[in-house]
Each structure stands twice: as structure tokens, then as C-alpha cells.
Amino acid sequence: MLPMFDNLRKYAAAYAVAIGGLLLTCLSSWNVREELQSSHLKEFQWAASDRVESLRAVVGQGLDALLEIRGLFYAAQGIDDTEFNVFTDSILQRRPYIESLLWAPLQAPSELAAGSPPLARGAAQGSAHLPVHLPAHLPVLLAASRGGFGPAQGVDLNASSELAMLFARATESGKIAVSGRLALARPGQENLSVIYAVLPVYAPARARAGAARPTPASSGKPLGFVVGVYNVEELVHVAISLLEPRGVEVLVRDDSAAGEAEFVHFYASRLEPGSVATAAGLLPEHDQDQPRMVATIDVGDRSWSVTCVATHTFRSAEAFNEAHWLVMAGGFVFTALLVFYLVHSRRELDYRIRLAQTIREREELFRQLAETVDVVFWATNADATRLEYIGPAFRRMASAQAPLDSSSPSLLLEVFAPDDRHTLSAAIAQLQSDGGRFTVVLPVVAGPRADNDSRWLRVCGFPVREAGGELSRIVGFCEDITEHKVAEDALRDSEAKLRTLFKNSPDLIFTVDRQAKILFTNRALSYPLGGAGETRSELILPPDVRQAYLEKLWRVFASGQIEHCQYAASDATWWEVRMVPISSANAANVVIAAMVVITDITENRQLQRQAIRSARLASLGVLSAGIAHEISNPNHAIMANAALLGRIWHDALPILKEYEDEQGDFLLAGLNAAQARETIARGMRDIGENAKRIQTIIANLKHLGKQDGGHMDELADVGRILSAVVALLDARIRKHTDVLTLELPEALPAVRGNVQQLEQVFINVIINALESLPDRSRSVKVSVRLDSANSRIVVRVKDRGQGISEDVLAQIGEPFFTTKADSGGTGLGLSISSSIVEKHGGVLRFASNKKFGTTVSIDLPISTEEWNERAIPGRPAVLLVDDDESVLHATAALLQSAGVANVQMFNDSRELLPALERQPASVLLLDLFMPHRTGEELLPEIVQLYPELPVIVMTAAQDVETAVLSMKEGAFDYLVKPVEESRLLASVRHALEVQSLRRQMGVLKHYLLRLSCNTARPLPA
């Protein structure tokens, strides 16, 4: 090998083949590796999808068991224990993950206290008319369990708080309700992780008269519940064991739960049975970096998230996952062999040249050499009619019995096909005519491997001339180039595949030199760079990006490091440009070119902006919660006092009218009687309405980051709201325009919803219309009409302003997007307004034109309900407990004006329990956050000592956790300050009605007991 380095030019072909072979080998290996990884990921996604769908199907089949049992009740009109067991045994056999199936009728405490036995047949008729106010019991009447575990007959399922909440949800929805993961005790064994699913069953008569699936609104109270207890581990195991083990682990979590209750089950792969989830219910640490897929399935009224993770033993369908190493090793070996072959061929050629010079003196030496090589030398006379010599290696190409001493030229031709023989003969004839050499490559049809594998020979012929230039002999050689031919075809196929992959890449890829000129690109550019022959790569980019691109490209050539930059195109898309250095094979630190990859990253940028927007919304919600808590108490006092003063003024109007009739006109605060009446009435009304607006705005800001339904039970008069809004915005209207038209029909149907929220929407839309006017001569028109079906009210606010551009119109409803940032705009007005309209079941639409202005349409569904205000019954004692005296007096005055005469106030919470010992109360309104003893401490104690006393929690705390905890502790209702007058009076009215009904039921129970005792007394003799 040493002489090679002394003759670099001589062995240039060997060097070129070595470099090209190594480069192609590396590219081929990388391509095979990428294809294997892509296939591996796709197969995992298929396997994960199979497991998710299997789990979804098994869960659905399990819940269908409850529907089958309900159908049995409807069909049989009552069943006994034997029929129930026969039916449920078949279900338990088909669904091994169901631990128990139960039937629990709804019964009142009086039925249990009287010792009445549980009923199977006919129980529906008794339980359907249970009193609403009595706490219901759910004893297990019929039960079928696997292995004898589970609730036994007679057990009250409603005694458990978790199951009680589950039954409440099922009753409210009329559909299947599912619990979170619970522990089922098994004597002598470990607890079993289960979930409970309950389905309410209604009266068969109502079920037949109405829909196949009754709802609470249509069917009244349910007869009872079909209850299913499901083994979570067995459920997941049954679902996934149906599939072939592939090395996929499954984590099931309950999105409807919180904290540790989110964890449902972790299914370890059968190929890695020792894998377990973490203590927090997360995936094992060794699975954190593995491919995964997350899907969501509905389980009754809950939502489960299923996370599938490929383990390190994930079984893919590829037969050989390390094929890229084999390709690399084979490429290196082939390149080495080819290089050595070229070197060897070069040396042989030199040797032949020297041998030709001494052929006559060393003919014997030539024969010996010809017998030792694989190349077959041959020679014929000048006419090619006699074969003078053929090398012994010819037998390895033709056959071992070939007669090498034959002088017929046909011996050389017979190893080829007839057409190829003509080709070789023609080449020899051409040599004879023009005296040039020839080279032809022909397939062999005879020989030891002719039937099993194709072989190729390269036949070369050379003229031998006498001193006078006359052709004296034709000599040549035949060389077996089968391996070279196969390798050449393989390289050609590999190059075609790489080029196809390169050209079909979604990214634009090209290489450039130091002058930033394009050397090669993966596809033709969609637009010309410049004139003919223009190759400057910077022309592909926008003009404002080109200089930065060139500077980074120069740094790539200088430092050999990867550089990248991003830019926004004129069509609002974002692109990333990555520049990768390409080093010389001889000198690793010398960059000879750079590869530029231009990728569309618009989707990634949008995801980043969405994440930032979500974080800002969450921060705003936290800030608004603190503001709402501080403002709620004084705002509640304002609302209560405004309502009271309004009633006082209404009662004082006849007196003032009488005084005016007797004494004549008089002045109040410089206003005559008529002006005073109008001003004071409007002022009282504005105080109350604006206090409500303050609370509504704060509540909307606080709940901006999460869904909050609010109170949507008011009947709103859209015409009246619009009139009030126009009056409220009178100063702003006069500032912006001389013409604002309000067109209202004579009579409009009401809209069910929230009056303050609708008022906020109309204010926001009208203000935007006013601010869009370029001068006071432009107009704003507000109109209301019914749609063609008379089912929706359409409010249109049309301005003759400057209009809205298309790019702004596309983002007009997004939070924090504003075109008025310089004037204090927050970008929340239209976002909140759109949310409010959607909660009312309506649609907010925008239509804009630069010439005619903007039209905002708000269509809302009308309500056919009527509002019936009922009087508060009686004048029982009501206790108020709050550390804020203004809230106490305002609330007391509001209750007294509504007819509740006996109202007692307590500013110190320590005085409440002694007062209850002295005199019982009908209703208690309790604040939670007070000095000395808080309402959170007093609530459970009062509920325990006075279980018949309704306790209404009235606090400024708006978080859901506090409300849920208070209701669990026994609160009758939960009101958030400031409380609207109608909401407060409705809650107190309901509590008093329940209290009155309890007293009546107590009297009735006492009377029935006394009557039964008198009936059982023996007659006198």
C-alpha cells in the first residue's frame, strides 16, 4: 500500500471510490435507521389505539349490563330473587370484571322504622311517592356477587357519603353515574379497587308513556337504582388481554377526580410484569422518555384519560431492528473491497504493460501468469478465423470440459446468447476495420452458475500490429464483473431512493457555498430567484431577513457551528432557517459547504402563543378573586340598602303627594317636587343596578379562566334593558354622536338568563360602536326584532364608522386582543361578551365594510315561561350572624320589608349558641369568616345540635371547594355576597317552607302513632 501514497494521481480513482463509498454507506445506514424508527413509532400508535378502543368497548359493555337489568324490570314489571339471580349470573359469566349487581329501591325512613319488609314486586308503586323533604334510604333488596363479596341484602347504600353523592348525580341526570376509585373490603384478603355505577329506574308506566330513557324532569323520583360494582384491575386486564402482548403499558386516570383520586389503575406489560406506577399514580421513571399516546374515554358521567407507553421491550414487526448497522458494515466492506480491487487492477495493468514489452522473451512466464489469474486471456489471428490461445480460467466461466486446445473461435462465442454472439462478432469486425480496441459487457448463458445466478463478463479486445502497421493478431481478455455489476445496480437503486426521500421532504433543503450560491436543492423553487442562471440563496427569503441570513451563514463557515433564525412571512406564517456546516473529508475543521433547511413552524408558534395566553388568563383570575373578596361585603351593603331605600321612597311618595296637594309645590335639595320624585327614584334604581353591575363585572373577571354558569334563571326584558343602557350611556352618546336611534317593538317576549350580564354585553357593543365613529355626524342605530320563526330575538347595533379590517375581524373575539391599547383597552370586552352570549344560548356575529361601517348582531332564544312571585309564608324567627354591621342591618331591613318581622342580629358569633338554647329559630343566615368563632367551626356543631334548623351560608368566598365543603357539613344553601334581593328572599322562602313542612309532617306522624295505639288497645269487657 505504501507505493499508493507516492503516486496520488495514479490512484485518484481509488480515492474517489473510497470517499464516495463511505459517504453513500453512511447516508444509506442513516436512511434505514430513520425508516425503522418511523415504522416503530407507527406500530406503537396502532397498538396503543387498539388498547384504548378495547378498553372503551369493555367499559361500554360493563355499563350496558345496568341497562339490561333496567330493561328486565320494565319488561317483567317486578322480579323476585331467583329471577334476578338467573338473569345476573349470565351477565357475571360474560363480564368477569363485574363484582356485584344490586337492586336498591328508594325507601323513606318511615318505611324502615315501621319495620316494613323490603319489597321486590310492587316496590315501585310505594317508592315513587316518597315525600321530597325526607332523607331517602337505599337498602339492597336484590344482590348478585362474584365470590360472595360486596354489599349484602339490607345494607343501606345511601349511608356512604361517596355513594350518596353518586346517587344524587344519577337522580339529577337520569343517566348512569360512575364513582371514582373506591376500596372494597374483602375479609382475609387485600382490599379490591372498584368503581360503582348506578342507573336510576323509573316507574314503568312513565317509561312506556314517554321516551325509552326517562329523565328526572319527566319521570319524577326514581323507583330505585341498579348498582354495579366493577373490579378496576380485572376490567383493564380483560380489555387489554384480548390483544397480543406488544410491550405497551397502560395508565388509567380519572380526569373528573382530584389529587390521589385521579389514579385508577396501572397495567404493566406482560413482557415487563414487574413494572409498577409511582406512589403519586404516575408512570414509572423508566417510562418517562418512552413514546406515549394519551386518549380520553367517557365512563358514564366521568371522563378517564388512558396513557399508553411503549416499554423498552416493545415488540415491533420489523424482523431485524439493527439493519442499518448491517448496511453500514456491508457498505464499508464493499467499499474496501472495491478500493483494493481498483488498486489491484491498476497494478495488474502496469504489470501487463511491462509484460508486453518482453512477451517474446518471457512467453512461458506469461503462460504461468495467465493460469494464476481469474481473467481469461485470448488471442486470435487477424481474420478471427482461428483461436490461437485461450486461458485456462475459461473453464471456470464456461465448463470444466471446455476443450482449451480447440482452434475454433466458436469456443469463445458459445458461452453467450445468440444475440450477444452477434454483438461480440460485430465488435471484432469493427476492430478489424478501424483498428481500435473494444469493450463489451455480456451476460453468460453457459457455465456452472448459469441456471442459478446471472453472471456478467467484460470482453476486451486489442489489435496487435506488425512494425509496418499491419494487423497481425487480435488479443483480449474476458473478466468476470458479476459482483461489480450487482454492486453498481445496488448503488444506483440506493441513490434513487435517497434522491426520492430528499425531494419529497416537506422542508426546503439546499446546499450553498461560501458565496451563498445554491449548489444543489431538493426540489425546484416555486418562484424564480432572479434572472437566468441566478443562484443567490438569499433571494429566497424576504428582503428584511436576507442580511441577517448572510451574517449567520458566514459565521457557520467561520466557526463550523450550527446557526438558525426565524422570520414571519407576509402571509402570517412563521419559518425557521437552520444552517448546518458540511466539512471536508480530508480536513474535519474545514467547512466546504453548508446545508440550509427552511421549515414551516407556524403551528408551533401558535401553540406557544396559546400557552402564554392561558397563563395570563390564570393570573388574571387569581388577581380578580382577591379583588372580588374585598369588594363583596361593602357592595352587598350597598345593594341591600338601595333596595330598602327604594321601598321606603315608594311608601313615602303618597305622603309627599298629599303634602304637595295641601301645601303646594316645595323644594328638596333645590329641586321641585316633580323633579325630586323623578331624580330620587332614578338615583335609587341606578344605585342598585350599578352595584349589581360591579359584582357581575368582578365575577366575570374572576371566572375568566374557567367555566362558571352563574344564575341564569331571570326573565329579562330586552327592550327594557336596552332603554336602560341608552339612558346610562347618555353622556357618552352625546360625546360621540348627534344621532343614536333606538327602535323597539311594542311587545317583546322575555329571554331567560342574567339581566346584568346582558346589560354588560349591550353596553360593551354600543360603546365600541360609538368609539368607531370618526365624527359626530355619523350615526348609530340599535334595533330589535324577532326572527322569521318567532323563536329568537335579534338585536342589531349598526354604526356608520370606519369598519373593521379582515385581519382584525379574524381575531376580534380573542382575549387580550385590542386595537385600543394606547387608550387603555384590555382586549377582554368582546371576549367576555361572546362568552356571555354563548351561555345564554345565543350567537354574537360581526359584519363590517369600510364604506358602510360595522353591524353587530346578537340573537338570543326567547323564553315562554312566566315569572310567578310567591309571598313569603308566615313571620317566623330568622337569625343573622355576621361581623359586618352594615351587612347585618341591610339584610335585616330587606327581610323585614319582605314580611319577616322577627329578625335577630348577632355581631359576635360567640352569642349564637346561647341564643339557640334560649329560643329556637326557623332559619339561620351564617357568615363563614368572622373573629372569635368562624362559621366553618359553628356549622357542623349547629347541624349536630339542631338538625331540623336550615342553615344558609352567606359569605364572600366564591371558590367551589368552600361551597362543596359547606354543603357536605349540612348547609341548606350557599349564597355569595353581594346577594341579589330575589336570590336571598327565594332561599329564605324555601328554607321556611321546608321547616313548615317538617313541622306538619311531625304533627301528622304523631297523630298516626296515637291513632295506631288507640286502635291496638283492647276493648273493655
Side-chain angles (χ1 to χ4, degrees), residues 74 77 124-125 202-211 214 219 223:
Y74 288 161
Q77 295 295 314
Q125 291 79 357
Y202 297 89
R206 297 191 179 190
R208 290 193 301 270
S219 300
L223 306 178

Side-chain angles (χ1 to χ4, degrees), residues 610-934:
Q610 184 66 28
I612 295 173
R613 184 183 299 125
S614 300
R616 293 174 64 186
L617 286 173
S619 301
L620 181 60
V622 174
L623 178 62
S624 300
I627 295 175
H629 187 272
E630 295 299 328
I631 295 179
S632 294
N633 277 337
N635 199 40
H636 175 77
I638 293 173
M639 291 177 63
N641 286 320
L644 179 61
L645 290 175
R647 294 186 179 184
I648 293 173
W649 174 249
H650 183 269
D651 294 340
L653 280 177
I655 300 174
L656 294 177
K657 178 63 176 176
E658 182 180 354
Y659 180 81
E660 182 183 6
D661 295 340
E662 294 177 357
Q663 304 295 330
D665 198 6
F666 58 92
L667 298 179
L668 290 176
L671 303 174
N672 58 36
Q675 293 175 337
R677 284 195 298 269
E678 181 181 357
T679 303
I680 294 175
R682 185 173 62 251
M684 293 299 173
R685 185 170 60 253
D686 290 346
I687 291 173
E689 292 179 353
N690 284 283
K692 293 178 181 179
R693 284 184 57 210
I694 291 173
Q695 182 60 21
T696 302
I697 293 171
I698 293 175
N700 285 334
L701 286 176
K702 178 180 181 297
H703 298 289
L704 184 62
K706 59 181 181 180
Q707 287 293 105
D708 186 4
H711 300 291
M712 307 293 292
D713 55 353
E714 299 176 342
L715 284 176
D717 186 343
V718 175
R720 183 177 179 182
I721 295 174
L722 285 172
S723 299
V725 167
V726 172
L728 183 65
L729 298 177
D730 180 67
R732 191 181 290 263
I733 293 171
R734 285 187 279 105
K735 176 182 177 182
H736 289 278
T737 182
D738 294 330
V739 182
L740 186 140
T741 306
L742 178 61
E743 296 182 356
L744 299 176
E746 294 183 359
L748 280 174
V751 173
R752 174 65 69 185
N754 188 297
V755 174
Q756 282 72 33
Q757 291 184 4
L758 292 175
E759 183 183 56
Q760 178 183 352
V761 172
F762 296 147
I763 289 175
N764 192 11
V765 173
I766 293 176
I767 288 177
N768 286 342
L770 293 172
E771 293 180 349
S772 69
L773 301 179
D775 54 67
R776 296 177 53 84
S777 63
R778 301 295 182 93
S779 64
V780 175
K781 180 180 179 181
V782 181
S783 60
V784 184
R785 65 174 180 83
L786 291 175
D787 65 353
S788 58
N790 292 330
S791 62
R792 302 179 76 87
I793 291 179
V794 181
V795 180
R796 287 186 177 177
V797 180
K798 183 176 182 180
D799 64 73
R800 297 300 299 273
Q802 300 173 349
I804 305 174
S805 61
E806 293 184 0
D807 55 341
V808 174
L809 196 63
Q811 309 176 63
I812 197 168
E814 295 184 3
F816 300 107
F817 175 78
T818 178
T819 58
K820 300 179 286 185
D822 297 338
S823 58
T826 62
L828 295 175
L830 289 179
S831 176
I832 296 176
S833 298
S834 179
S835 176
I836 291 174
V837 173
E838 289 179 2
K839 287 194 297 183
H840 284 75
V843 180
L844 183 64
R845 299 185 178 91
F846 297 88
S848 184
N849 186 285
K850 288 290 185 179
K851 182 177 180 181
F852 300 105
T854 302
T855 300
V856 181
S857 300
I858 306 167
D859 63 358
L860 301 168
I862 65 174
S863 174
T864 58
E865 303 175 14
E866 296 182 357
W867 180 259
N868 297 322
E869 187 70 29
R870 295 178 296 173
I872 298 179
R875 297 178 180 269
V878 177
L879 304 185
L880 305 179
V881 185
D882 201 307
D883 60 323
D884 192 329
E885 293 188 1
S886 62
V887 174
L888 282 176
H889 291 291
T891 306
L894 186 61
L895 293 175
Q896 290 171 352
S897 66
V900 182
N902 189 6
V903 179
Q904 299 182 13
M905 299 178 291
F906 296 92
N907 182 257
D908 190 344
S909 58
R910 295 173 294 184
E911 301 175 356
L912 176 61
L913 291 179
L916 290 174
E917 294 177 359
R918 295 191 302 269
Q919 180 181 0
S922 296
V923 181
L924 171 62
L925 276 74
L926 179 66
D927 187 17
L928 289 183
F929 305 107
M930 299 179 291
H932 308 305
R933 296 199 68 183
T934 66

Side-chain angles (χ1 to χ4, degrees), residues 39-229:
S39 176
H40 185 84
L41 180 58
K42 289 181 180 178
E43 288 203 20
F44 162 70
Q45 292 174 348
W46 293 338
S49 299
D50 291 342
R51 281 151 178 76
V52 171
E53 293 304 321
S54 178
L55 182 58
R56 191 195 309 275
V58 171
V59 168
Q61 294 172 3
L63 297 181
D64 288 343
L66 304 185
L67 299 175
E68 295 176 13
I69 296 178
R70 186 177 71 176
L72 176 65
F73 278 102
Y74 288 161
Q77 295 295 314
I79 62 174
D80 56 19
D81 190 276
T82 302
E83 295 171 341
F84 182 83
N85 287 336
V86 170
F87 187 79
T88 55
D89 283 346
S90 65
I91 296 178
L92 294 178
Q93 291 177 2
R94 286 183 283 115
R95 299 174 175 91
Y97 46 85
I98 302 180
E99 290 294 324
S100 302
L101 291 173
L102 314 171
W103 162 246
L106 186 66
Q107 294 184 354
S110 60
E111 295 179 357
L112 297 178
S116 58
L119 299 177
R121 303 184 183 271
Q125 291 79 357
S127 59
H129 305 286
L130 290 178
V132 175
H133 65 282
L134 286 178
H137 292 271
L138 291 170
V140 177
L141 181 60
L142 301 176
S145 302
R146 188 186 307 280
F149 301 112
Q153 290 186 354
V155 174
D156 184 8
L157 298 178
N158 211 22
S160 170
S161 60
E162 293 85 353
L163 296 183
M165 294 179 62
L166 182 62
F167 289 119
R169 293 205 322 268
T171 303
E172 181 180 358
S173 65
K175 302 177 182 179
I176 295 177
V178 181
S179 71
R181 181 172 59 92
L182 302 175
L184 178 63
R186 297 188 298 180
Q189 301 182 26
E190 294 182 357
N191 291 342
L192 190 64
S193 295
V194 299
I195 59 173
Y196 284 78
V198 299
L199 174 65
V201 179
Y202 297 89
R206 297 191 179 190
R208 290 193 301 270
R213 186 174 59 190
T215 62
S218 64
S219 300
K221 275 204 162 293
L223 306 178
F225 297 85
V226 179
V227 183
V229 184

Side-chain angles (χ1 to χ4, degrees), residues 444-467:
V444 178
V445 297
R449 293 195 298 172
D451 298 333
N452 301 326
D453 200 0
S454 298
R455 300 181 62 201
W456 292 81
L457 292 182
R458 179 170 60 190
V459 182
C460 298
F462 308 91
V464 178
R465 300 184 182 278
E466 297 292 344

Side-chain angles (χ1 to χ4, degrees), residues 134-340:
L134 286 178
H137 292 271
L138 291 170
V140 177
L141 181 60
L142 301 176
S145 302
R146 188 186 307 280
F149 301 112
Q153 290 186 354
V155 174
D156 184 8
L157 298 178
N158 211 22
S160 170
S161 60
E162 293 85 353
L163 296 183
M165 294 179 62
L166 182 62
F167 289 119
R169 293 205 322 268
T171 303
E172 181 180 358
S173 65
K175 302 177 182 179
I176 295 177
V178 181
S179 71
R181 181 172 59 92
L182 302 175
L184 178 63
R186 297 188 298 180
Q189 301 182 26
E190 294 182 357
N191 291 342
L192 190 64
S193 295
V194 299
I195 59 173
Y196 284 78
V198 299
L199 174 65
V201 179
Y202 297 89
R206 297 191 179 190
R208 290 193 301 270
R213 186 174 59 190
T215 62
S218 64
S219 300
K221 275 204 162 293
L223 306 178
F225 297 85
V226 179
V227 183
V229 184
Y230 300 83
N231 185 340
V232 175
E233 179 178 357
E234 184 65 20
L235 186 146
V236 177
H237 177 77
V238 168
I240 300 179
S241 62
L242 300 174
L243 305 173
E244 178 186 5
R246 297 290 297 276
V248 178
E249 294 179 340
V250 180
L251 175 64
V252 182
R253 296 177 66 85
D254 189 353
D255 292 342
S256 303
E260 296 181 356
E262 290 184 4
F263 176 75
V264 177
H265 183 65
F266 174 76
Y267 179 86
S269 170
R270 283 167 280 178
L271 303 181
E272 288 190 6
S275 180
V276 295
T278 63
L282 302 176
L283 292 171
E285 294 183 359
H286 60 266
D287 288 342
Q288 296 299 322
D289 298 329
Q290 292 297 106
R292 66 184 62 191
M293 187 182 79
V294 181
T296 302
I297 63 175
D298 294 330
V299 183
D301 60 347
R302 305 182 77 88
S303 178
W304 284 5
S305 64
V306 182
T307 303
C308 299
V309 181
T311 64
H312 295 278
T313 58
F314 176 72
R315 293 168 56 182
S316 178
E318 292 91 4
F320 188 33
N321 292 329
E322 304 298 330
H324 57 287
W325 295 115
L326 180 61
V327 171
M328 180 175 289
F332 287 160
V333 172
F334 176 78
T335 301
L337 292 176
L338 186 59
V339 170
F340 284 116

